[in-house]
Amino acid sequence: MRSMKQKLSLGQSYLLLALFPAYFMIVGLFMQPPSEILSGLRSIIREPDFLITDYFVIGGIGAAFLNAGLITLVLLFVLYLLRMEIDGHTLTSCCLIFGFSLFGKNVVNIWSILLGVYLYAHYHRTSIRSYLYVGLYGTSLSPIITQVMQLESLSLAVRIPLSFLIGITIGFVLPPLSTHVHFAHQGYSLYNVGFSSGVIATVVISLFKSFGVETKSRLIWHTGNNLEFALILGGLFAVMILAAIILGKETVFTSYKRILKCTGISGTDYLKQEGKASVLLNMGINGIFAMLLVLIVGGDLNGPTIGGIFTIVGFSSTGKHLFNIAPIMFGVILASTTKDWSITDPGALLALLFSTTLAPVAGEFGVLAGLLAGYLQSSVALNVGILYDSMNLYNNGFAGGIVAIFLVPVIRSIRSRRARAKGDLSL
């Protein structure tokens, strides 16, 4: 019998990861009649999908899980074909793609952006392996592709190639821009591509408006299945924790304690540093914490919030842990008691979950800094979407970059009386 300690082959590791999307695809078959799932998938592909568009409402729960599962399986297959070793970013991108495929990404609108990233790598005579994760994260701009496909003022013969060209252009400019903006926030916002995507979306939507193309706001939000989703998610996270304990045995908690001491600044890879067992434990604990917090504040479990929960779970391999996400999230809750909105409002609930992009701020500077970051993030995240008509799915990534750029230098200057600006200051 194969020893539990024997290292799995690359193919076996990817097959193990594939159980995650397969689980939800099977669950979807029990939550929506199979006869309705394909028609629901067609509705998901045809509908506009900028924020906030819950695929549970558009196509049904089964169709949404099928869409997310199929995209994630294709992602894993591509990564396997490229023989990419599984690291923390593999887990992060897998969870991120799945989560956002419940409210914005579908099996049609992501490919031109990925092609643009491939062409960028080819142009620079570099392997796509170097930029693939940037491309996967950059599919946050996929609603733009769908929007162009649905411009009624243009003929279908123009819309399709135009949307394709725009997607390729977005993908081509993503890698250099993402590298550049990282220096602005210095890794204190984990959703770096979300920040660069916000910049791109602002430029693209500004061009759209210059040609008279306007986008109407929307709010499509599923309610009424909290118990079912809590059982589905809770079961998965419980299995993660149990598997971690079985695999890591007595060493897993020691390793997990080391994770809790990390700042989580962008570039962290817990899978390489601490191994599979402790990362599984971290993912499971964070998933349960995020899910319970949504329920405790009276929020809804649906496509967008489950996407937010899985974003936390995914980044639990590359920066997030309980000690650096809790202060940020409590800062958002604190903000809801003093500001002109409720924590159960859809935008506020998403801010509660996605604000954890600023986890490194709490990890580096402490609880009070984390509370302040969450407090500020809630306001910025609820207002920056107007710049790009909610076409950037990683809205909190853009907001988090702004908050980090604003807050981190201030905190550093307060912490050190001898802090001096380096280089020339200019407007």
Side-chain angles (χ1 to χ4, degrees):
M1 186 174 179
R2 184 183 292 271
S3 169
M4 289 291 290
K5 293 184 179 180
Q6 187 171 342
K7 186 177 180 180
L8 296 175
S9 68
L10 188 65
Q12 290 170 330
S13 297
Y14 274 106
L15 282 175
L16 195 60
L17 273 180
L19 293 177
F20 157 59
Y23 167 71
F24 283 97
M25 293 172 74
I26 294 170
V27 167
L29 293 174
F30 287 96
M31 299 195 73
Q32 185 178 7
S35 59
E36 298 178 5
I37 289 180
L38 288 180
S39 62
L41 188 60
R42 284 195 294 270
S43 297
I44 287 173
I45 293 170
R46 291 173 179 173
E47 278 279 332
D49 35 35
F50 50 90
L51 293 175
I52 300 173
T53 303
D54 192 337
Y55 284 168
F56 285 167
V57 177
I58 298 298
I61 295 171
F65 279 150
L66 177 65
N67 178 66
L70 284 174
I71 293 176
T72 308
L73 287 175
V74 171
L75 154 67
L76 291 173
F77 183 64
V78 170
L79 294 176
Y80 173 70
L81 288 180
L82 292 172
R83 311 301 293 176
M84 295 186 70
E85 291 296 327
I86 293 177
D87 59 13
H89 291 287
T90 311
L91 302 182
T92 300
S93 62
C94 183
C95 290
L96 212 63
I97 286 288
F98 179 86
F100 279 90
S101 296
L102 298 175
F103 70 112
K105 301 180 183 181
N106 62 55
V107 292
V108 170
N109 66 10
I110 65 173
W111 304 113
S112 60
I113 294 175
L114 292 174
L115 177 58
V117 174
Y118 169 77
L119 291 176
Y120 176 86
H122 181 72
Y123 177 77
H124 287 277
R125 298 180 180 179
T126 306
S127 171
I128 183 60
R129 292 158 58 102
S130 303
Y131 302 108
L132 185 57
Y133 289 126
V134 171
L136 293 172
Y137 298 146
T139 53
S140 63
L141 294 172
S142 56
I144 294 176
I145 312 306
T146 305
Q147 185 67 18
V148 175
M149 286 184 179
Q150 296 175 345
L151 291 176
E152 296 180 355
S153 58
L154 300 176
S155 67
L156 188 63
V158 174
R159 279 182 274 165
I160 292 178
L162 180 60
S163 66
F164 205 66
L165 178 61
I166 290 174
I168 290 175
T169 304
I170 289 171
F172 194 88
V173 302
L174 260 172
L177 188 58
S178 296
T179 300
H180 180 75
V181 300
H182 184 272
F183 293 104
H185 59 75
Q186 300 177 15
Y188 285 95
S189 176
L190 293 176
Y191 309 161
N192 181 60
V193 177
F195 187 35
S196 58
S197 294
V199 175
I200 293 171
T202 301
V203 173
V204 172
I205 299 306
S206 297
L207 287 171
F208 281 8
K209 290 181 177 179
S210 298
F211 288 98
V213 178
E214 297 287 343
T215 303
K216 295 180 180 178
S217 61
R218 62 168 20 193
L219 174 59
I220 301 177
W221 189 260
H222 180 85
T223 61
N225 290 100
N226 277 9
L227 178 59
E228 294 94 326
F229 290 139
L231 292 174
I232 293 166
L233 296 177
L236 176 65
F237 299 143
V239 168
M240 287 181 175
I241 293 172
L242 181 61
I245 294 172
I246 292 173
L247 288 172
K249 298 181 180 178
E250 66 278 356
T251 65
V252 68
F253 292 105
T254 302
S255 182
Y256 177 64
K257 288 179 181 177
R258 288 196 294 269
I259 288 178
L260 293 177
K261 294 178 181 179
C262 290
T263 62
I265 290 176
S266 181
T268 300
D269 189 335
Y270 296 144
L271 194 61
K272 287 183 177 180
Q273 294 172 4
E274 302 296 342
K276 298 182 181 70
S278 55
V279 168
L280 270 177
L281 182 62
N282 192 39
M283 293 170 77
I285 289 174
N286 289 351
I288 288 178
F289 173 75
M291 180 189 72
L292 289 178
L293 199 57
V294 169
L295 294 174
I296 289 169
V297 300
D300 300 302
L301 291 177
N302 54 25
T305 56
I306 291 175
I309 291 168
F310 273 109
T311 299
I312 291 175
V313 171
F315 275 94
S316 296
S317 62
T318 52
K320 296 183 182 180
H321 55 71
L322 191 60
F323 285 1
N324 67 7
I325 65 172
I328 306 292
M329 298 176 83
F330 289 140
V332 176
I333 294 173
L334 176 64
S336 71
T337 66
T338 63
K339 298 179 183 179
D340 192 24
W341 43 263
S342 169
I343 192 63
T344 57
D345 292 345
L349 270 179
L350 295 186
L352 173 67
L353 295 165
F354 291 109
S355 64
T356 51
T357 180
L358 293 168
V361 174
E364 175 75 17
F365 302 113
V367 173
L368 291 179
L371 288 170
L372 178 58
Y375 191 93
L376 294 176
Q377 172 75 2
S378 63
S379 292
V380 179
L382 290 175
N383 289 284
V384 293
I386 194 173
L387 292 174
Y388 39 75
D389 286 346
S390 300
M391 287 291 179
N392 175 24
L393 293 175
Y394 302 165
N395 181 62
N396 275 269
F398 184 60
I402 293 173
V403 172
I405 291 170
F406 168 78
L407 189 59
V408 170
V410 175
I411 294 175
R412 283 179 170 169
S413 68
I414 292 173
R415 288 183 71 182
S416 175
R417 294 183 179 181
R418 297 179 181 179
R420 295 180 180 177
K422 293 183 180 180
D424 294 329
L425 297 178
S426 65
L427 294 177

